[in-house]
Amino acid sequence: MTTAAEYPAGAPCWMELSVPDLGRARAFYGGLFGWAFDGLPYALARLGSRRVAGISRHWGTGTDPAEPAVWTVFLATGDLDSTLSAVAKAGGHRCEPRQDIGDLGAMALARDPTGAEFGLWEAGTLSGCETSGPGTPGWSEVASSDIQATSAFLTRVFGCEPERVAGFDSVTLYSGGTAVLGVYGGEGHVDRGRAAWRTYFTVRSADAAAEYAAGAGGSVVRP
């Protein structure tokens, strides 16, 4: 494993899971990815000393315990307030206001014009996932019923350069020459009719990871 470099604007830098049962989530992902955890009620997942992701119980006293677990993808920004302004000008919406997380950084939640919700992260002492390799996020993409609208929004907000993938209903977005995320046609993959983000985690064996997930109480959605 290696320490991740600084994240360019628009790059997925941090993943956060909200769950109804924190204990079950820690046991599942600890076995699947080899994560260790510290802190409550917000648990930082680590590989060795490196911070990888966050897991917490659903927030709010009125939260339905049956509400499904949700991963949130946070995109990097060097200036959170300016990015929130750009989100609004590009037709998106701020879901929650800026929140400063001690010296770690600052966050906010937003929604693009097609309905996809995502996080924004302005780094302090935590720039994002601190390592790469097995057990870490490897790629993120958003399923959208309108890839042109989604790509245009992300390009305007973060200054990304879009490139259509030949032969596929998909666009790769680049930041500073580096591929940072994907947008693909979400027919059959959107969340309740809205665009939705998906993150892929790096593993040594996809087959072994899928087998473990099924045996540990999860399920294989797509083989």
Side-chain angles (χ1 to χ4, degrees), residues 77-182:
T77 173
D79 187 331
L80 180 56
D81 294 329
S82 292
T83 300
L84 285 170
S85 177
V87 165
K89 291 178 181 178
H93 302 277
R94 182 176 65 180
C95 300
E96 292 186 11
R98 174 193 178 106
Q99 182 178 1
D100 292 291
I101 314 297
D103 65 349
L104 295 177
M107 60 160 284
L109 297 178
R111 182 184 300 117
D112 77 15
T114 65
E117 295 184 1
F118 59 96
L120 293 166
W121 181 253
E122 179 185 302
T125 59
L126 177 69
S127 59
C129 178
E130 295 176 323
T131 188
S132 60
T136 69
W139 182 249
S140 294
E141 59 192 15
V142 56
S144 174
S145 58
D146 188 339
I147 65 172
Q148 183 174 353
T150 300
S151 299
F153 170 80
L154 293 168
T155 296
R156 183 174 178 184
V157 172
F158 296 105
C160 296
E161 306 92 40
E163 180 180 84
R164 191 70 181 241
V165 180
F168 294 91
D169 190 20
S170 179
V171 173
T172 299
L173 296 182
Y174 292 80
S175 181
T178 300
V180 292
L181 58 89

Side-chain angles (χ1 to χ4, degrees), residues 17-32:
L17 178 64
S18 174
V19 296
D21 189 328
L22 186 58
R24 291 187 68 188
R26 287 167 60 132
F28 179 82
Y29 287 102
L32 181 62

